[in-house]
């Protein structure tokens, strides 16, 4: 009997390897000591309270002109009560011609049926479809006649161009009549392409979402396939206080929609807002994963809603001004505060934490990356960002730099990650190891160019993994 050897394609090998690597990461996670360095406080929180912590990469304030990093960790409580907020949901679906490819529109219909079957008569829903025009399938109304909803969903077909702004604005308009009513008010927007009609500028589209959020409308986005703008959908979800999801293949659409619905039905804290006051001489250089403009004296980030059991991460790069000189011997203090709507307590909650630095260092310290967990973590975050930039810009020089980091610096960082048992750190090590290998294979296969399907898929996949590494959510399928 002859044994047949099957050679997997580049794409097949990529997804198989990814599955193996992240399974390995999950197995490691289950063996980590729950009290290791860098984890959230273990004190018992009051009902509905978020647990959170801030930590710095440096014990002493760095010398003038030097950088340091601050890491925020949030953990939402598990909701054990059977009650939940009512949901006012406007579902906005791309029905442009590209949704016919790979039967995406058929899987969207399946997802619509899942939504319909998992809402209650107390919830409200509207269904909006858009191509170059807007089609109102179902106006905002209570979920009392499921048969009508199922019938309208089955009528959904795909043709034409893509006017994301028109679909989004109609979705918001459908929610207007419910804004004074209790519950969540949310737009769930799905697309597989680029905006080529109506408002097409990404900054203008994000501005539309920001205005909607100011009126009390949240936004979650789902990108499908390899042709949409993943950066835009991520920014829209951040501006709308919702989540970003990615379905690489058409058959993943129902699962993605079901997961996002589950998250909406399991919200534990709403309108989470983080502030960090910046003393004179300290500036924020970058908030990783966010592209909004920064203020000189105050870092303020709207983190949206957190679902039951969700863990959120925020890494902030700060710099000591070149001419800064600390006064006196008093500790230098950064003050952070967190505000959010505690749904269990039905009140707005507020808490504060501080980071006290020792006296300013007289000179830049020797390389601490190999021994400092937060510094090593920050290094890996920047290295993963370099992979993303190399793939997006098709920069072979930057790709070469990533491969040198993998061969020369990464082994020490990986060893440090394992030694600390810090799961965030370990996850970033897995991510860098896997995607640097994928980048190498992309180059080896001559696929680091503009018309490469493999490059486009890797770009989408990496963006989503970076996003999800800072948004750990459990499964909330209803």
């Amino acid at each position: 009997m002859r044994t047949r050897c099957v050679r997997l394609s580049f794409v097949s090998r990529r997804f198989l390897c990814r599955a193996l690597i992240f399974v390995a990461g999950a197995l490691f996670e289950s063996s980590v000591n729950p009290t290791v360095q860098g984890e959230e406080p273990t004190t018992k929180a009051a009902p509905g309270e978020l647990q959170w912590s801030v930590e710095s990469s440096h014990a002493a304030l760095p010398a003038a002109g030097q950088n340091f990093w601050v890491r925020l960790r949030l953990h939402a409580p598990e909701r054990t009560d059977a009650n939940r907020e009512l949901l006012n949901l406007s579902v906005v679906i791309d029905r442009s011609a590209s949704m016919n490819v790979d039967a995406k529109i058929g899987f969207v219909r399946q997802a619509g049926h899942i939504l319909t079957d998992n809402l209650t008569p107390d919830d409200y829903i509207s269904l909006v479809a858009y191509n170059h025009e807007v089609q109102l399938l179902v106006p905002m109304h209570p979920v009392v006649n499921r048969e009508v909803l199922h019938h309208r969903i089955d009528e959904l077909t795909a043709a034409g161009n893509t006017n994301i702004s028109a679909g989004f604005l109609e979705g918001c308009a459908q929610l207007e009549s419910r804004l004074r009513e209790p519950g969540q008010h949310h737009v769930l927007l799905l697309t597989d392409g680029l905006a080529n009609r109506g408002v097409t500028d990404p900054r203008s589209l994000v501005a539309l979402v920001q205005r909607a959020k100011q009126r009390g409308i949240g936004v979650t986005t789902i990108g499908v396939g390899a042709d949409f703008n993943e950066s835009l959908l991520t920014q829209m979800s951040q501006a709308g206080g919702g989540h970003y999801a990615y379905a690489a293949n058409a058959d993943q659409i129902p699962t993605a929609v079901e997961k996002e619905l589950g998250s909406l039905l399991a919200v534990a804290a709403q309108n989470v807002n983080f502030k960090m006051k910046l003393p004179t001489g300290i500036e924020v250089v970058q908030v990783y994963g966010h592209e909004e403009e920064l203020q000189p004296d105050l870092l303020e980030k709207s983190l949206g809603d957190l679902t039951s059991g969700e863990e959120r991460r925020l890494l902030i790069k700060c710099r000591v001004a070149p001419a800064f000189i600390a006064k006196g011997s008093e500790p230098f203090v950064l003050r952070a505060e967190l505000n959010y709507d505690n749904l269990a307590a039905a009140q707005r909650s507020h808490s504060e934490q501080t980071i006290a630095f020792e006296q300013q260092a007289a000179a830049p310290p020797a390389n601490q990356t190999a021994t400092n967990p937060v510094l090593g973590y920050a290094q890996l975050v920047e290295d993963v960002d370099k992979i993303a930039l190399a793939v997006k810009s098709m920069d072979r020089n930057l790709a070469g730099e990533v491969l040198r980091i993998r061969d020369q610096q990464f082994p020490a960082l990986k060893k440090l990650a394992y030694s600390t048992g810090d799961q965030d750190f370990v996850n970033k090590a897995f991510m860098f190891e896997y995607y640097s290998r994928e980048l190498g294979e992309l180059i080896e296969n001559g696929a680091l160019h503009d018309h490469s399907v493999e490059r486009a898929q890797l770009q989408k996949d990496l963006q989503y993994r970076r996003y999800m590494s800072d948004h750990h959510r459990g499964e909330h399928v209803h």
Side-chain angles (χ1 to χ4, degrees):
M1 179 177 178
R2 294 180 63 184
T3 300
R4 184 181 178 187
C5 180
V6 179
R7 179 175 176 81
L8 295 175
S9 68
F10 172 76
V11 175
S12 299
R13 286 185 288 113
R14 183 163 69 83
F15 282 102
L16 177 61
C17 291
R18 181 179 71 186
L20 292 173
I21 283 178
F22 283 99
V23 165
L27 291 173
F28 180 86
E29 182 173 6
S30 66
S31 66
V32 171
N33 186 329
T35 61
V36 296
Q37 177 180 354
E39 294 207 344
E40 293 83 4
T42 55
T43 55
K44 188 175 180 180
E49 276 192 4
L50 297 180
Q51 290 184 295
W52 67 290
S53 64
V54 286
E55 56 185 337
S56 171
S57 59
H58 292 66
L61 190 67
Q66 299 299 306
N67 299 326
F68 65 96
W69 286 261
V70 173
R71 180 166 61 170
L72 165 70
R73 297 183 175 198
L74 288 168
H75 183 215
E78 294 283 351
R79 291 201 64 174
T80 57
D81 58 304
N83 297 323
R84 66 166 175 85
E85 281 201 305
L86 302 181
L87 183 58
N88 303 282
L89 181 64
S90 196
V91 183
V92 180
I93 300 167
D94 184 346
R95 72 175 200 95
S96 61
S98 58
M99 290 294 289
N100 282 317
V101 178
D102 298 326
K104 282 179 280 194
I105 198 67
F107 287 107
V108 166
R109 288 194 289 265
Q110 288 184 28
H113 294 314
I114 290 172
L115 284 172
T116 299
D117 289 336
N118 283 278
L119 295 174
T120 72
D122 294 323
D123 297 311
Y124 278 67
I125 190 172
S126 71
L127 299 176
V128 177
Y130 67 93
N131 48 19
H132 49 280
E133 299 176 330
V134 172
Q135 178 185 14
L136 181 58
L137 294 172
V138 179
M140 183 65 66
H141 80 298
V143 187
V144 292
N145 191 333
R146 298 181 195 276
E147 289 307 312
V148 170
L149 288 168
H150 287 306
H151 176 70
R152 295 297 284 153
I153 290 166
D154 283 334
E155 292 180 337
L156 187 61
T157 59
N161 294 302
T162 308
N163 191 335
I164 292 176
S165 61
F168 173 72
L169 290 172
E170 180 60 33
C172 292
Q174 290 297 313
L175 285 164
E176 287 291 341
S177 63
R178 298 288 304 166
L179 289 181
R180 294 188 178 183
E181 302 299 326
Q184 296 184 71
H185 306 86
H186 213 86
V187 170
L188 177 64
L189 183 145
L190 181 146
T191 184
D192 75 332
L194 303 174
N196 53 30
R197 292 291 187 274
V199 179
T200 59
D201 175 59
R203 288 175 295 182
S204 299
L205 285 166
V206 172
L208 291 178
V209 176
Q210 290 171 336
R211 289 196 288 272
K213 182 60 177 173
Q214 290 169 359
R215 301 200 310 274
I217 297 173
V219 178
T220 285
T221 59
I222 300 177
V224 180
D227 297 322
F228 67 92
N229 185 334
E230 69 279 1
S231 178
L232 170 62
L233 293 194
T234 302
Q235 290 179 61
M236 289 176 70
S237 69
Q238 290 172 340
H243 290 100
Y244 161 63
Y246 168 50
N249 303 310
D251 60 0
Q252 296 173 351
I253 293 173
T255 301
V257 170
E258 186 175 22
K259 181 176 180 179
E260 295 314 311
L261 175 64
S263 293
L264 288 171
L265 298 180
V267 170
Q270 288 185 299
N271 302 312
V272 180
N273 185 266
F274 173 74
K275 292 182 181 180
M276 188 170 71
K277 298 176 181 177
L278 303 173
T280 302
I282 303 297
E283 62 178 350
V284 172
V285 178
Q286 182 178 0
V287 181
Y288 295 87
H290 295 257
E291 299 183 27
E292 302 92 333
E293 292 186 8
L294 300 170
Q295 303 177 43
D297 303 318
L298 175 72
L299 173 66
E300 183 170 8
K301 300 300 297 181
S302 175
L303 302 178
D305 302 340
L306 269 68
T307 60
S308 175
E310 180 176 354
E311 298 178 15
R312 192 74 65 86
R313 306 293 181 248
L314 197 67
L315 183 66
I316 305 158
K317 184 177 184 179
C318 302
R319 178 176 297 154
V320 182
F324 177 78
I325 300 176
K327 297 180 180 179
S329 59
E330 292 296 318
F332 191 83
V333 177
L334 282 180
R335 303 185 184 279
E337 63 180 73
L338 193 72
N339 298 282
Y340 57 95
D341 293 329
N342 183 330
L343 298 185
Q347 66 182 25
R348 187 73 176 165
S349 293
H350 170 87
S351 58
E352 297 183 3
Q353 293 191 25
T354 60
I355 299 176
F357 294 88
E358 299 170 7
Q359 193 169 6
Q360 186 178 19
N367 180 26
Q368 303 179 57
T369 305
T371 59
N372 184 311
V374 178
L375 203 56
Y377 174 84
Q379 181 64 58
L380 277 177
V381 170
E382 293 201 337
D383 291 343
V384 170
D385 284 356
K386 287 179 180 178
I387 299 175
L389 182 58
V391 173
K392 183 176 182 178
S393 63
M394 297 164 284
D395 188 330
R396 289 183 174 273
N397 290 330
L398 184 57
E401 180 183 342
V402 167
L403 298 182
R404 286 191 294 274
I405 290 172
R406 183 190 66 186
D407 295 337
Q408 299 172 13
Q409 301 173 23
F410 176 68
L413 288 171
K414 183 178 179 180
K415 182 178 180 181
L416 176 61
Y418 274 94
S419 70
T420 63
D422 180 334
Q423 189 57 47
D424 289 332
F425 198 174
V426 171
N427 288 343
K428 281 293 187 294
F430 273 115
M431 190 179 299
F432 177 81
E433 185 172 30
Y434 173 70
Y435 286 106
S436 63
R437 183 185 304 125
E438 291 300 295
L439 177 60
E441 288 196 16
L442 208 63
I443 296 172
E444 182 181 333
N445 285 277
L448 191 63
H449 58 79
D450 192 36
H451 301 292
S452 163
V453 174
E454 293 91 343
R455 185 194 69 82
Q457 289 177 327
L458 182 58
Q459 181 177 322
K460 300 288 186 296
D461 189 52
L462 179 51
Q463 168 73 8
Y464 186 51
R465 292 298 170 184
R466 290 160 71 207
Y467 174 85
M468 289 302 294
S469 70
D470 294 324
H471 299 74
H472 302 294
R473 287 184 284 163
E475 296 297 325
H476 302 293
V477 178
H478 290 251

